[in-house]
Amino acid sequence: MGYFCDLALCNSNWTFNHINNTWKTHCEVLYPPCDIEAFLNIPIKKNPESVKLISVGQFRPEKDHELQLQALAKLIQSNHQLSNTKLLLVGSCRNQEDYQRVESIKSLSSKLAIQNNVEFHLNVKFQELLELLGSANVGLHSMWNEHFGICVVEMMAAGLVTLAHNSGGPKYDIITPEQNGFLAGSPEEYAECLEKVILNYSNYSGLRKAARERSKQFSEKAFGKGFSEHIKEFLKDLN
């Protein structure tokens, strides 16, 4: 079907490269609309009393929550001063399989001896999500080759220091390392980056502000403007 398209709008450069190589048609990048207004209104903490990491996403296998648990365990093992670090896993469950997955993740946290460091928040209302983001310091994302990464944009808009997977949309479209966020791949890389961020958190106020500014480039307003420009250009070429 893609071969018959006159124009394909792709939600990231990762998707662009995939579609362009597969369909061999005219492709353009148009980032998806992210409703970030409520996240931008979350007050930015200056000196947090406690360290809270937060991960937002459905409890699906590809989200790789296991990587986050492994990273947290390695962080605590390498620096016992960070043994009170909390990880808030926030997400929705679509069916019984997802609930079983949550139980599997809980079991892994026990095996890693970090069960007291991990909190599960399932199917929360939007207002509760905002409150949880407001209570956190660092945003975590661990999916390999996420096509874009709306949750990454939302955490950046919330003013968190965001650490995402070094692949896909977060790598090629959203985060510029050390400027508006961080990227990592292995549990060891995540743990090393987390330790650096947590121990030097007060030094990242500029980065957090830059992350908020970057998130605005993926807003609904930016999408509307970009969509109009792409369609106008496309129709002009038809004439």
Side-chain angles (χ1 to χ4, degrees):
M1 181 180 297
Y3 287 100
F4 299 98
C5 290
D6 294 309
L7 173 65
L9 296 177
C10 307
N11 68 347
S12 69
N13 279 291
W14 187 94
T15 304
F16 171 89
N17 291 329
H18 179 72
I19 295 298
N20 192 48
N21 291 330
T22 304
W23 288 358
K24 309 296 182 182
T25 191
H26 179 200
C27 299
E28 297 286 350
V29 174
L30 177 62
Y31 297 124
C34 302
D35 185 1
I36 58 172
E37 292 305 315
F39 301 97
L40 292 172
N41 291 325
I42 296 175
I44 292 183
K45 287 184 176 181
K46 292 185 178 180
N47 297 304
E49 297 178 357
S50 60
V51 179
K52 288 186 179 180
L53 320 176
I54 188 169
S55 169
V56 181
Q58 290 183 330
F59 287 98
R60 306 199 315 257
E62 61 269 27
K63 296 301 182 181
D64 201 0
H65 291 91
E66 292 83 356
L67 189 156
Q68 298 177 22
L69 296 187
Q70 292 163 3
L72 177 59
K74 290 183 179 297
L75 171 69
I76 293 173
Q77 289 168 6
S78 66
N79 191 331
H80 295 295
Q81 293 180 347
L82 302 178
S83 60
N84 292 325
T85 300
K86 294 286 186 180
L87 171 58
L88 315 180
L89 296 180
V90 185
S92 60
C93 291
R94 304 161 297 174
N95 48 43
Q96 188 58 36
E97 184 177 348
D98 287 352
Y99 283 106
Q100 291 173 351
R101 178 160 188 76
V102 170
E103 293 305 313
S104 175
I105 296 171
K106 288 181 179 179
S107 177
L108 177 60
S109 72
S110 296
K111 291 180 181 178
L112 294 172
I114 56 171
Q115 67 273 20
N116 294 329
N117 299 85
V118 183
E119 297 180 8
F120 291 81
H121 300 267
L122 310 182
N123 304 319
V124 301
K125 301 293 184 180
F126 184 65
Q127 185 56 44
E128 184 179 353
L129 170 62
L130 295 178
E131 293 171 359
L132 289 168
L133 285 167
S135 73
N137 322 110
V138 179
L140 278 184
H141 164 277
S142 54
M143 179 176 170
W144 174 73
N145 270 347
E146 178 94 68
H147 291 188
F148 178 67
I150 290 178
C151 67
V152 175
V153 173
E154 291 173 343
M155 291 189 289
M156 293 169 69
L160 303 182
V161 175
T162 302
L163 171 56
H165 198 279
N166 190 23
S167 65
K171 177 179 181 179
Y172 295 109
D173 298 277
I174 303 175
I175 289 180
T176 301
E178 304 285 346
Q179 294 185 27
N180 54 34
F182 295 91
L183 298 169
S186 66
E188 292 78 11
E189 290 176 349
Y190 272 85
E192 181 180 343
C193 186
L194 284 172
E195 183 174 16
K196 179 176 71 173
V197 168
I198 293 170
L199 295 180
N200 301 282
Y201 196 76
S202 60
N203 296 333
Y204 293 111
S205 58
L207 180 144
R208 296 160 74 193
K209 291 177 182 177
R212 275 199 155 165
E213 288 303 310
R214 177 61 176 158
S215 73
K216 295 175 184 178
Q217 297 180 37
F218 309 109
S219 66
E220 292 181 323
K221 181 179 180 180
F223 171 83
K225 180 181 179 182
F227 182 80
S228 297
E229 290 175 350
H230 280 299
I231 296 303
K232 286 178 181 178
E233 192 66 25
F234 174 68
L235 294 177
K236 184 177 71 174
D237 291 342
L238 289 181
N239 295 329

